[in-house]
Amino acid sequence: MCEYRNIYQTARLNTGFTQEFVSERIGISVESLRKYETGQRRPPDAVVWRMATLYSSMLLCYQHLASGELGGMLPDVRQKSLEQATLRFVRLFGEFAKSGHLDQLMEINEDGIITAEERPLHDAIMAELQELTTTYLELGCAAQKESAQCGGNRD
């Protein structure tokens, strides 16, 4: 049987840190950390910031924001390997650059009005940019994770 793990517990376990070590380093009680890791309480943003800094995990900050009330406004960013994220980003960026959509987007938006005829192309271009943004965020998370793994001593 698989035990429950939420984003806060998963991020801590990925570092190999104990609850006691983390609690001491980020200035909260072990009991508070346990409540965050078991989903009994939602940690304040400031605590998540300290966790993410300690864990070298930009992804944790993003997941925390995405799990909140405004999370539906954010793209679905997933943990990927550095290689996978890089290849996907470069491919999507190259396709966007070759498509001519940047010029089309400027043409559509330069007058400040999106007409009914322009709307389908505009929406398609925006969807491409959303996918590119998601991939960019995944690349940033993967690069930070790789950098942290190569960073040496963590106590």
Side-chain angles (χ1 to χ4, degrees):
M1 185 163 118
C2 182
E3 65 183 79
Y4 171 79
R5 289 192 182 154
N6 70 12
I7 59 175
Y8 312 106
Q9 183 180 36
T10 299
R12 179 182 58 79
L13 292 173
N14 285 342
T15 66
F17 295 152
T18 65
Q19 287 182 332
E20 292 75 15
F21 176 82
V22 171
S23 297
E24 183 179 310
R25 285 295 181 104
I26 66 172
I28 62 171
S29 69
V30 173
E31 184 59 31
S32 289
L33 184 59
R34 279 192 189 112
K35 287 183 179 184
Y36 302 149
E37 290 189 356
T38 59
Q40 295 175 38
R41 277 197 315 192
R42 181 174 172 82
D45 293 347
V47 170
V48 176
W49 174 258
R50 292 192 305 265
M51 285 179 188
T53 301
L54 180 63
Y55 305 157
S56 296
S57 178
M58 177 173 79
L59 182 61
L60 178 61
C61 286
Y62 192 87
Q63 289 172 322
H64 173 75
L65 291 173
S67 70
E69 292 180 30
L70 299 175
M73 298 296 295
L74 299 172
D76 184 21
V77 174
R78 308 227 176 212
Q79 185 70 57
K80 299 221 173 14
S81 70
L82 184 59
E83 297 83 3
Q84 186 182 23
T86 300
L87 290 171
R88 182 165 170 74
F89 180 78
V90 169
R91 181 181 59 78
L92 290 175
F93 188 79
E95 288 173 1
F96 187 78
K98 290 177 191 172
S99 71
H101 284 164
L102 182 58
D103 289 336
Q104 291 172 317
L105 183 65
M106 289 173 41
E107 205 174 291
I108 291 169
N109 292 338
E110 69 185 349
D111 61 0
I113 300 167
I114 303 170
T115 66
E117 299 83 37
E118 295 170 329
R119 175 60 62 190
L121 179 57
H122 181 271
D123 290 350
I125 293 170
M126 294 306 294
E128 283 182 58
L129 288 172
Q130 181 69 41
E131 188 175 8
L132 195 54
T133 300
T134 300
T135 306
Y136 164 78
L137 291 168
E138 290 171 345
L139 177 57
C141 291
Q144 183 187 42
K145 182 179 178 188
E146 182 68 25
S147 179
Q149 289 174 348
C150 296
N153 188 7
R154 297 176 154 219
D155 286 294

Coordinates of all heavy atoms in Angstrom, one line a residue, residues 55-127:
Y55 N 15.2 23.5 -0.2 CA 15.2 22.3 -1.0 C 15.7 22.6 -2.5 O 15.8 21.7 -3.3 CB 13.8 21.8 -1.2 CG 13.0 21.4 0.1 CD1 11.6 21.4 0.1 CD2 13.7 21.2 1.3 CE1 10.9 21.1 1.2 CE2 13.0 20.9 2.4 CZ 11.6 20.9 2.4 OH 10.9 20.6 3.5
S56 N 16.0 23.8 -2.8 CA 16.3 24.2 -4.1 C 15.3 23.8 -5.1 O 15.5 23.1 -6.1 CB 17.7 23.7 -4.6 OG 18.7 24.2 -3.8
S57 N 14.0 24.1 -4.8 CA 12.9 23.6 -5.6 C 11.9 24.7 -6.0 O 10.9 25.0 -5.3 CB 12.1 22.6 -4.8 OG 11.0 22.1 -5.5
M58 N 12.2 25.4 -7.1 CA 11.3 26.3 -7.7 C 9.9 25.6 -8.0 O 8.9 26.2 -7.8 CB 11.9 26.9 -9.0 CG 10.9 27.9 -9.7 SD 11.7 28.7 -11.1 CE 11.6 27.4 -12.4
L59 N 10.0 24.4 -8.3 CA 8.8 23.6 -8.6 C 7.8 23.6 -7.4 O 6.6 23.7 -7.5 CB 9.1 22.2 -9.0 CG 7.9 21.3 -9.4 CD1 7.1 21.9 -10.6 CD2 8.3 19.9 -9.8
L60 N 8.4 23.5 -6.2 CA 7.5 23.5 -5.0 C 6.7 24.8 -4.9 O 5.5 24.8 -4.6 CB 8.3 23.3 -3.7 CG 7.5 23.3 -2.4 CD1 6.5 22.2 -2.4 CD2 8.4 23.2 -1.2
C61 N 7.4 25.9 -5.1 CA 6.6 27.2 -5.1 C 5.5 27.2 -6.1 O 4.4 27.6 -5.9 CB 7.6 28.4 -5.4 SG 8.7 28.8 -4.0
Y62 N 5.8 26.7 -7.3 CA 4.8 26.7 -8.4 C 3.7 25.8 -8.0 O 2.5 26.1 -8.2 CB 5.5 26.3 -9.7 CG 4.6 26.5 -10.9 CD1 4.6 27.8 -11.5 CD2 3.7 25.6 -11.3 CE1 3.7 28.0 -12.5 CE2 2.8 25.8 -12.3 CZ 2.8 27.0 -12.9 OH 1.9 27.3 -14.0
Q63 N 4.0 24.6 -7.5 CA 3.0 23.7 -7.1 C 2.1 24.2 -6.0 O 0.9 24.0 -6.0 CB 3.6 22.3 -6.7 CG 4.2 21.5 -7.8 CD 5.0 20.3 -7.3 OE1 5.6 20.4 -6.3 NE2 4.9 19.2 -8.0
H64 N 2.7 24.9 -5.1 CA 2.0 25.5 -4.0 C 1.0 26.6 -4.5 O -0.2 26.6 -4.2 CB 2.9 26.2 -3.0 CG 2.3 27.0 -1.9 ND1 1.7 26.4 -0.8 CD2 2.2 28.3 -1.7 CE1 1.2 27.3 -0.1 NE2 1.5 28.5 -0.6
L65 N 1.4 27.4 -5.4 CA 0.5 28.4 -6.0 C -0.6 27.7 -6.8 O -1.7 28.1 -6.7 CB 1.3 29.3 -6.9 CG 2.3 30.3 -6.2 CD1 3.1 31.0 -7.3 CD2 1.5 31.3 -5.3
A66 N -0.2 26.7 -7.6 CA -1.2 26.0 -8.4 C -2.2 25.3 -7.6 O -3.4 25.1 -8.1 CB -0.5 25.0 -9.4
S67 N -1.9 24.9 -6.4 CA -2.9 24.2 -5.6 C -3.8 25.1 -4.8 O -4.7 24.6 -4.1 CB -2.1 23.2 -4.6 OG -1.5 24.0 -3.6
G68 N -3.6 26.4 -4.9 CA -4.4 27.4 -4.2 C -5.6 27.8 -5.0 O -5.9 27.2 -6.1
E69 N -6.3 28.8 -4.5 CA -7.5 29.3 -5.1 C -7.4 29.8 -6.6 O -8.3 29.6 -7.3 CB -8.1 30.4 -4.3 CG -8.6 30.0 -2.9 CD -9.2 31.1 -2.1 OE1 -9.7 32.1 -2.7 OE2 -9.1 31.0 -0.9
L70 N -6.2 30.3 -6.9 CA -6.0 30.9 -8.2 C -5.3 29.9 -9.1 O -4.9 30.2 -10.3 CB -5.2 32.2 -8.2 CG -5.9 33.3 -7.4 CD1 -4.9 34.5 -7.3 CD2 -7.2 33.7 -8.0
G71 N -5.1 28.6 -8.7 CA -4.4 27.6 -9.4 C -4.9 27.4 -10.8 O -4.1 27.0 -11.7
G72 N -6.2 27.5 -11.0 CA -6.7 27.2 -12.3 C -6.2 28.2 -13.4 O -6.4 27.9 -14.6
M73 N -5.6 29.3 -13.0 CA -5.1 30.3 -13.9 C -3.7 29.9 -14.4 O -3.2 30.6 -15.4 CB -5.1 31.7 -13.3 CG -6.5 32.2 -12.9 SD -7.6 32.4 -14.3 CE -6.8 33.7 -15.1
L74 N -3.1 29.0 -13.8 CA -1.7 28.7 -14.1 C -1.6 27.4 -15.0 O -2.4 26.5 -14.9 CB -0.9 28.4 -12.8 CG -0.9 29.6 -11.8 CD1 -0.2 29.1 -10.5 CD2 -0.1 30.7 -12.4
P75 N -0.6 27.4 -15.8 CA -0.4 26.2 -16.6 C 0.0 25.0 -15.8 O 0.5 25.2 -14.7 CB 0.7 26.6 -17.6 CG 1.4 27.8 -17.0 CD 0.4 28.4 -16.1
D76 N -0.2 23.8 -16.3 CA 0.2 22.6 -15.6 C 1.7 22.3 -15.8 O 2.0 21.7 -16.9 CB -0.7 21.4 -16.2 CG -0.5 20.1 -15.4 OD1 0.0 20.2 -14.3 OD2 -0.8 19.1 -16.0
V77 N 2.5 22.6 -14.9 CA 3.9 22.4 -15.0 C 4.3 21.1 -14.2 O 3.9 20.9 -13.1 CB 4.7 23.6 -14.3 CG1 6.2 23.4 -14.3 CG2 4.4 24.9 -15.1
R78 N 5.0 20.3 -14.9 CA 5.4 19.0 -14.4 C 6.9 18.9 -14.3 O 7.6 19.5 -15.1 CB 4.9 17.9 -15.3 CG 3.4 18.0 -15.5 CD 2.7 16.8 -15.3 NE 1.3 17.0 -15.5 CZ 0.4 16.4 -14.9 NH1 0.7 15.4 -14.1 NH2 -0.9 16.6 -15.1
Q79 N 7.4 18.1 -13.4 CA 8.8 17.8 -13.3 C 9.3 17.0 -14.4 O 8.7 15.9 -14.7 CB 9.2 17.1 -11.9 CG 10.6 16.9 -11.7 CD 11.3 18.3 -11.4 OE1 11.0 19.0 -10.5 NE2 12.3 18.6 -12.2
K80 N 10.3 17.5 -15.1 CA 10.9 16.8 -16.2 C 12.4 16.7 -16.1 O 13.0 17.5 -15.3 CB 10.6 17.5 -17.6 CG 9.1 17.6 -17.9 CD 8.8 17.3 -19.3 CE 7.4 17.2 -19.8 NZ 6.3 17.6 -19.1
S81 N 13.1 15.8 -16.8 CA 14.5 15.8 -16.7 C 15.0 17.0 -17.5 O 14.3 17.6 -18.3 CB 15.1 14.5 -17.4 OG 14.9 14.6 -18.8
L82 N 16.2 17.4 -17.2 CA 16.8 18.6 -17.9 C 16.9 18.3 -19.4 O 16.5 19.2 -20.2 CB 18.2 18.9 -17.3 CG 18.9 20.1 -17.9 CD1 18.1 21.4 -17.6 CD2 20.3 20.2 -17.3
E83 N 17.2 17.1 -19.8 CA 17.3 16.8 -21.2 C 16.0 16.9 -21.9 O 15.8 17.5 -23.0 CB 17.9 15.4 -21.4 CG 19.3 15.2 -20.9 CD 19.4 14.9 -19.4 OE1 18.4 14.8 -18.8 OE2 20.6 14.9 -19.0
Q84 N 15.0 16.3 -21.3 CA 13.6 16.3 -21.8 C 13.1 17.7 -21.9 O 12.5 18.1 -23.0 CB 12.7 15.4 -21.0 CG 11.3 15.2 -21.5 CD 10.5 14.4 -20.6 OE1 10.7 14.3 -19.4 NE2 9.4 13.8 -21.1
A85 N 13.2 18.5 -20.9 CA 12.7 19.9 -20.9 C 13.4 20.7 -21.9 O 12.8 21.5 -22.6 CB 12.8 20.5 -19.5
T86 N 14.7 20.6 -22.0 CA 15.5 21.3 -23.0 C 15.1 21.0 -24.4 O 14.8 21.9 -25.2 CB 17.0 21.1 -22.8 OG1 17.4 21.5 -21.5 CG2 17.8 21.9 -23.9
L87 N 15.0 19.7 -24.7 CA 14.6 19.3 -26.1 C 13.2 19.8 -26.5 O 13.0 20.3 -27.6 CB 14.7 17.8 -26.2 CG 16.1 17.2 -26.2 CD1 16.1 15.7 -26.1 CD2 16.9 17.7 -27.4
R88 N 12.3 19.7 -25.5 CA 10.9 20.1 -25.8 C 10.9 21.7 -26.0 O 10.3 22.2 -26.9 CB 10.0 19.7 -24.7 CG 8.6 20.1 -25.0 CD 7.6 19.4 -24.0 NE 6.3 19.9 -24.1 CZ 5.4 19.7 -25.1 NH1 5.8 19.0 -26.1 NH2 4.2 20.2 -25.0
F89 N 11.6 22.4 -25.2 CA 11.6 23.8 -25.3 C 12.2 24.3 -26.6 O 11.6 25.1 -27.3 CB 12.3 24.5 -24.1 CG 12.3 26.0 -24.2 CD1 11.2 26.7 -23.9 CD2 13.5 26.7 -24.7 CE1 11.2 28.1 -24.0 CE2 13.5 28.1 -24.8 CZ 12.3 28.8 -24.4
V90 N 13.4 23.7 -27.0 CA 14.0 24.1 -28.2 C 13.2 23.8 -29.4 O 13.0 24.6 -30.3 CB 15.4 23.5 -28.3 CG1 16.0 23.7 -29.7 CG2 16.3 24.1 -27.2
R91 N 12.5 22.6 -29.4 CA 11.7 22.2 -30.5 C 10.5 23.2 -30.6 O 10.2 23.7 -31.7 CB 11.1 20.8 -30.3 CG 10.2 20.3 -31.5 CD 9.7 18.9 -31.3 NE 8.9 18.7 -30.1 CZ 7.6 19.1 -29.9 NH1 7.0 19.7 -30.9 NH2 7.0 18.9 -28.8
L92 N 9.8 23.5 -29.5 CA 8.6 24.3 -29.6 C 9.0 25.8 -30.0 O 8.3 26.4 -30.8 CB 7.9 24.4 -28.3 CG 7.1 23.1 -27.9 CD1 6.6 23.2 -26.5 CD2 6.1 22.8 -28.9
F93 N 10.1 26.2 -29.4 CA 10.6 27.6 -29.8 C 10.9 27.7 -31.2 O 10.6 28.7 -31.9 CB 11.8 27.9 -28.9 CG 12.2 29.4 -29.0 CD1 11.6 30.4 -28.3 CD2 13.3 29.7 -29.8 CE1 12.0 31.7 -28.5 CE2 13.7 31.0 -29.9 CZ 13.0 32.0 -29.3
G94 N 11.6 26.7 -31.7 CA 12.0 26.7 -33.2 C 10.8 26.6 -34.1 O 10.7 27.4 -35.1
E95 N 9.8 25.8 -33.7 CA 8.6 25.8 -34.5 C 7.8 27.1 -34.5 O 7.3 27.5 -35.5 CB 7.6 24.7 -34.0 CG 8.1 23.3 -34.2 CD 7.3 22.2 -33.6 OE1 6.3 22.5 -32.9 OE2 7.6 21.0 -33.7
F96 N 7.8 27.7 -33.3 CA 7.1 29.0 -33.3 C 7.9 30.1 -34.1 O 7.2 30.9 -34.8 CB 7.0 29.5 -31.8 CG 6.2 30.7 -31.6 CD1 4.8 30.7 -31.7 CD2 6.8 32.0 -31.5 CE1 4.1 31.8 -31.5 CE2 6.1 33.1 -31.3 CZ 4.7 33.1 -31.4
A97 N 9.2 30.1 -34.0 CA 10.0 31.0 -34.8 C 9.8 30.8 -36.3 O 9.7 31.8 -37.0 CB 11.5 30.9 -34.4
K98 N 9.7 29.6 -36.7 CA 9.6 29.3 -38.2 C 8.2 29.6 -38.7 O 8.0 29.8 -39.9 CB 9.9 27.9 -38.4 CG 11.4 27.6 -38.3 CD 11.7 26.1 -38.5 CE 13.1 25.7 -38.2 NZ 13.3 24.3 -38.2
S99 N 7.2 29.5 -37.8 CA 5.8 29.6 -38.2 C 5.4 31.0 -38.7 O 4.4 31.1 -39.4 CB 4.9 29.2 -37.1 OG 4.9 30.2 -36.1
G100 N 6.1 32.0 -38.4 CA 5.7 33.4 -38.7 C 4.6 33.9 -37.8 O 4.1 35.0 -38.1
H101 N 4.3 33.2 -36.8 CA 3.2 33.6 -35.9 C 3.6 34.9 -35.1 O 2.6 35.6 -34.7 CB 2.8 32.5 -34.9 CG 2.0 31.4 -35.6 ND1 1.8 30.2 -35.1 CD2 1.3 31.5 -36.8 CE1 1.0 29.5 -35.9 NE2 0.7 30.2 -37.0
L102 N 4.8 35.1 -34.8 CA 5.2 36.4 -34.1 C 4.7 37.6 -34.9 O 4.1 38.5 -34.4 CB 6.7 36.4 -33.8 CG 7.2 37.6 -33.0 CD1 6.4 37.7 -31.7 CD2 8.7 37.6 -32.8
D103 N 5.1 37.6 -36.2 CA 4.6 38.7 -37.1 C 3.1 38.8 -37.2 O 2.5 39.8 -37.2 CB 5.2 38.5 -38.5 CG 6.7 38.7 -38.5 OD1 7.2 39.5 -37.6 OD2 7.4 38.2 -39.4
Q104 N 2.5 37.6 -37.3 CA 1.0 37.6 -37.3 C 0.4 38.1 -36.0 O -0.6 38.9 -36.1 CB 0.5 36.2 -37.6 CG 0.8 35.7 -39.0 CD 0.5 34.2 -39.2 OE1 0.8 33.4 -38.3 NE2 -0.1 33.9 -40.3
L105 N 1.0 37.8 -34.9 CA 0.5 38.3 -33.6 C 0.6 39.8 -33.6 O -0.3 40.5 -33.1 CB 1.2 37.6 -32.5 CG 0.7 38.0 -31.1 CD1 -0.7 37.5 -30.8 CD2 1.7 37.4 -30.0
M106 N 1.7 40.3 -34.0 CA 1.9 41.8 -34.0 C 0.9 42.4 -34.9 O 0.4 43.5 -34.6 CB 3.4 42.1 -34.4 CG 4.4 41.7 -33.3 SD 6.1 41.9 -33.8 CE 6.2 43.3 -34.7
E107 N 0.7 41.9 -36.1 CA -0.2 42.4 -37.1 C -1.6 42.4 -36.5 O -2.4 43.4 -36.6 CB -0.2 41.5 -38.3 CG -0.6 42.2 -39.6 CD -0.4 41.3 -40.8 OE1 0.8 41.0 -41.1 OE2 -1.4 40.8 -41.3
I108 N -2.0 41.4 -35.8 CA -3.4 41.3 -35.3 C -3.6 42.3 -34.1 O -4.6 43.0 -34.1 CB -3.7 39.9 -34.7 CG1 -3.8 38.9 -35.9 CG2 -4.9 39.8 -33.9 CD1 -3.8 37.4 -35.4
N109 N -2.6 42.4 -33.3 CA -2.7 43.2 -32.1 C -2.3 44.7 -32.2 O -2.6 45.5 -31.3 CB -1.9 42.6 -30.9 CG -2.5 41.2 -30.5 OD1 -3.7 41.0 -30.7 ND2 -1.7 40.4 -29.9
E110 N -1.6 45.1 -33.2 CA -1.0 46.4 -33.3 C -2.1 47.5 -33.3 O -1.8 48.6 -32.8 CB -0.1 46.6 -34.5 CG -0.8 46.6 -35.8 CD 0.2 46.6 -37.0 OE1 1.4 46.8 -36.7 OE2 -0.2 46.4 -38.1
D111 N -3.3 47.2 -33.7 CA -4.3 48.3 -33.7 C -5.1 48.2 -32.4 O -6.0 49.0 -32.2 CB -5.2 48.1 -34.9 CG -6.0 46.8 -35.0 OD1 -5.8 46.0 -34.1 OD2 -6.8 46.6 -36.0
G112 N -4.8 47.3 -31.5 CA -5.5 47.2 -30.3 C -6.9 46.6 -30.3 O -7.6 46.5 -29.4
I113 N -7.2 46.0 -31.5 CA -8.5 45.4 -31.7 C -8.3 44.0 -32.3 O -7.6 43.9 -33.3 CB -9.4 46.2 -32.6 CG1 -9.6 47.6 -32.0 CG2 -10.8 45.5 -32.9 CD1 -10.2 48.6 -33.0
I114 N -9.0 43.0 -31.8 CA -9.0 41.7 -32.3 C -10.3 41.4 -33.0 O -11.3 41.3 -32.2 CB -8.7 40.6 -31.3 CG1 -7.3 40.9 -30.6 CG2 -8.6 39.2 -31.9 CD1 -7.0 40.0 -29.4
T115 N -10.4 41.4 -34.3 CA -11.6 41.2 -34.9 C -12.1 39.8 -34.9 O -11.3 38.9 -34.6 CB -11.5 41.7 -36.4 OG1 -10.7 40.8 -37.1 CG2 -11.0 43.1 -36.6
A116 N -13.4 39.6 -35.3 CA -13.9 38.2 -35.3 C -13.1 37.3 -36.3 O -12.9 36.1 -36.0 CB -15.4 38.2 -35.7
E117 N -12.7 37.9 -37.4 CA -11.9 37.2 -38.4 C -10.5 36.8 -37.8 O -9.9 35.8 -38.1 CB -11.7 37.9 -39.7 CG -13.0 38.3 -40.4 CD -13.7 39.5 -39.9 OE1 -13.0 40.5 -39.5 OE2 -14.9 39.5 -39.8
E118 N -9.9 37.7 -37.0 CA -8.6 37.5 -36.4 C -8.6 36.6 -35.2 O -7.6 36.0 -34.9 CB -8.0 38.8 -36.0 CG -7.7 39.8 -37.2 CD -7.4 41.2 -36.7 OE1 -7.8 41.6 -35.6 OE2 -6.6 41.9 -37.4
R119 N -9.7 36.5 -34.5 CA -9.8 35.7 -33.3 C -9.3 34.3 -33.4 O -8.5 33.9 -32.5 CB -11.2 35.8 -32.7 CG -11.5 35.0 -31.5 CD -10.7 35.4 -30.3 NE -11.0 36.7 -29.8 CZ -10.2 37.4 -28.9 NH1 -9.2 36.7 -28.3 NH2 -10.5 38.6 -28.6
P120 N -9.7 33.5 -34.3 CA -9.2 32.1 -34.3 C -7.7 32.0 -34.4 O -7.1 31.2 -33.7 CB -9.9 31.5 -35.6 CG -11.1 32.3 -35.8 CD -10.7 33.7 -35.4
L121 N -7.1 32.8 -35.3 CA -5.6 32.7 -35.4 C -5.0 33.3 -34.1 O -4.0 32.7 -33.6 CB -5.1 33.6 -36.6 CG -3.6 33.6 -36.8 CD1 -3.0 32.2 -36.9 CD2 -3.3 34.5 -38.0
H122 N -5.5 34.3 -33.6 CA -5.0 34.9 -32.3 C -5.0 33.9 -31.2 O -4.0 33.7 -30.5 CB -5.8 36.1 -31.9 CG -5.3 36.8 -30.7 ND1 -5.7 36.5 -29.4 CD2 -4.3 37.8 -30.5 CE1 -5.1 37.2 -28.5 NE2 -4.3 38.0 -29.1
D123 N -6.1 33.2 -31.1 CA -6.3 32.2 -30.0 C -5.3 31.0 -30.2 O -4.8 30.5 -29.3 CB -7.7 31.7 -30.0 CG -8.7 32.7 -29.4 OD1 -8.2 33.8 -28.9 OD2 -9.9 32.5 -29.5
A124 N -5.1 30.6 -31.5 CA -4.2 29.5 -31.8 C -2.8 29.9 -31.4 O -2.0 29.1 -30.8 CB -4.3 29.1 -33.3
I125 N -2.4 31.2 -31.8 CA -1.1 31.7 -31.4 C -0.9 31.7 -29.9 O 0.2 31.3 -29.4 CB -0.8 33.0 -32.1 CG1 -0.8 32.9 -33.6 CG2 0.5 33.7 -31.6 CD1 -0.8 34.2 -34.4
M126 N -1.9 32.2 -29.2 CA -1.8 32.3 -27.8 C -1.7 30.9 -27.1 O -1.0 30.7 -26.1 CB -3.0 33.0 -27.2 CG -3.1 34.5 -27.6 SD -1.5 35.4 -27.2 CE -1.6 35.4 -25.4
A127 N -2.4 29.9 -27.7 CA -2.2 28.5 -27.2 C -0.8 28.0 -27.4 O -0.2 27.4 -26.5 CB -3.2 27.6 -27.9

